Amino acid sequence: MASSSSSSSSSSQLFCISFFVSSFLLIFSAVPFGADARPRHHYSSVSSLVSRSLFNSIFLHKDDNACPAKDFYTYESFVNASRCFPRFGSTGSLSIRKRGWATAPDGPYAWGLCFKEEVSPQSNYCDSTNKEWPCYPGKSYKGRGPIQLSWNYNYGPAGKALGFDGLRTPEVVSNNSLIAFKTALWFWMTERKPKPSCHNVMIGRYVPTKADLEANRTAGFGLVTNIINGGLECGLPNDGRVNDRIGYFQRYAKLFNVDTGPNLDCSSQKSF
């Protein structure tokens, strides 16, 4: 996930773990672009929106023995990571700030945060044409963490922003719970032109360009999917991966008692 529009199809496990992110983070996306990734000593409003018990209710099975990421994604790491982005979940009205498989226990959308890294990656996800963020021999830039950060051109800038060497030590994302959550928040809040940031889309600060309008890229959850994985999932009618993302989002919105808003899918959108 968090890949380019030219990436090849990822494994089903990769899609399953990261479906929750674009749904879950969307609930807290009322954060202006440009939030500083450096730690700040202040109160994090996210903990006032998501209690420990609610966090555990959202991710009912993350610590089951069946999950490879058992005990990795802790509530403490989530809250501490949010403190590195001071305006994450702290702007706008309360309503704005809140905004598997079919036979799985508790339903298919209750199984988030079950994996730490992509299962059976199809490559090392190295874009050798990217000279700014070069790959290192023997390193894999496969999907890791809550948002399944992937590709060298994402690991490099994420590491630079968050204080770790994403190119030389990408594996830290699946070894350190705090850094793992930070990479998800970094990806969510960072603009990568021509793509807007996900949170700007959801707080109404997305101003579509002429190219966006021509590509039918309208604000809503569908555009978030386009930003994250549009090259694989958008412009396709009734795509199962997109439907799963929507299913997660609808479950989380119901838990927070907020409306999902319009434009949930990206079937009519061209990818970036």
Side-chain angles (χ1 to χ4, degrees), residues 56-73:
N56 291 332
S57 295
I58 293 171
F59 306 114
L60 281 174
H61 299 285
K62 70 182 182 67
D63 295 324
D64 285 10
N65 288 330
C67 287
K70 182 179 182 292
D71 299 325
F72 182 72
Y73 295 111

Side-chain angles (χ1 to χ4, degrees), residues 11-268:
S11 67
S12 59
Q13 292 92 344
L14 171 59
F15 287 121
C16 287
I17 178 176
S18 53
F19 278 143
F20 97 93
V21 175
S22 54
S23 309
F24 180 59
L25 294 183
L26 184 51
I27 300 296
F28 309 103
S29 60
V31 187
F33 172 69
D36 197 336
R38 293 172 294 180
R40 303 287 182 85
H41 299 288
H42 66 92
Y43 174 72
S44 171
S45 65
V46 169
S47 59
S48 70
L49 296 176
V50 186
S51 66
R52 183 187 301 274
S53 60
L54 179 57
F55 184 81
N56 291 332
S57 295
I58 293 171
F59 306 114
L60 281 174
H61 299 285
K62 70 182 182 67
D63 295 324
D64 285 10
N65 288 330
C67 287
K70 182 179 182 292
D71 299 325
F72 182 72
Y73 295 111
T74 67
Y75 177 71
E76 289 78 12
S77 291
F78 167 66
V79 171
N80 287 334
S82 74
R83 292 192 175 112
C84 293
F85 297 85
R87 290 175 289 179
F88 177 71
S90 63
T91 305
S93 67
L94 182 62
S95 178
I96 290 176
R97 289 165 57 203
K98 283 183 174 181
R99 294 185 64 165
W101 66 102
T103 58
D106 301 303
Y109 305 121
W111 287 74
L113 297 180
C114 197
F115 291 85
K116 293 193 292 184
E117 56 187 22
E118 179 181 356
V119 177
S120 302
Q122 298 182 351
S123 71
N124 63 359
Y125 296 106
C126 170
D127 179 3
S128 59
T129 67
N130 191 299
K131 305 304 180 184
E132 182 179 5
W133 306 105
C135 304
Y136 281 80
K139 295 298 180 179
S140 172
Y141 303 100
K142 63 182 178 180
R144 295 182 177 93
I147 206 164
Q148 290 288 275
L149 191 76
S150 57
W151 294 94
N152 49 308
Y153 49 73
N154 283 320
Y155 274 95
K160 182 178 181 180
L162 301 174
F164 72 97
D165 194 333
L167 295 177
R168 289 185 175 88
T169 59
E171 59 276 1
V172 72
V173 178
S174 55
N175 294 332
N176 185 304
S177 179
L178 179 58
I179 290 178
F181 273 116
K182 284 183 179 180
T183 62
L185 294 175
W186 170 86
F187 186 90
W188 185 261
M189 299 175 65
T190 302
E191 182 182 36
R192 287 164 298 278
K193 293 184 177 179
K195 297 180 181 181
S197 62
C198 296
H199 70 277
N200 265 0
V201 168
M202 298 313 302
I203 64 171
R205 295 189 179 181
Y206 159 67
V207 180
T209 65
K210 180 180 179 181
D212 290 331
L213 294 173
E214 292 174 347
N216 201 34
R217 292 193 284 261
T218 54
F221 185 61
L223 185 57
V224 171
T225 296
N226 201 333
I227 293 170
I228 294 176
N229 226 33
L232 298 177
E233 301 177 26
C234 295
L236 304 172
N238 198 31
D239 185 79
R241 297 162 298 186
V242 174
N243 290 340
D244 279 346
R245 288 186 189 276
I246 295 171
Y248 275 104
F249 179 44
Q250 289 173 328
R251 176 176 180 262
Y252 299 147
K254 185 176 181 179
L255 287 171
F256 283 92
N257 193 31
V258 294
D259 185 74
T260 61
N263 305 321
L264 294 183
D265 67 55
C266 59
S267 61
S268 62

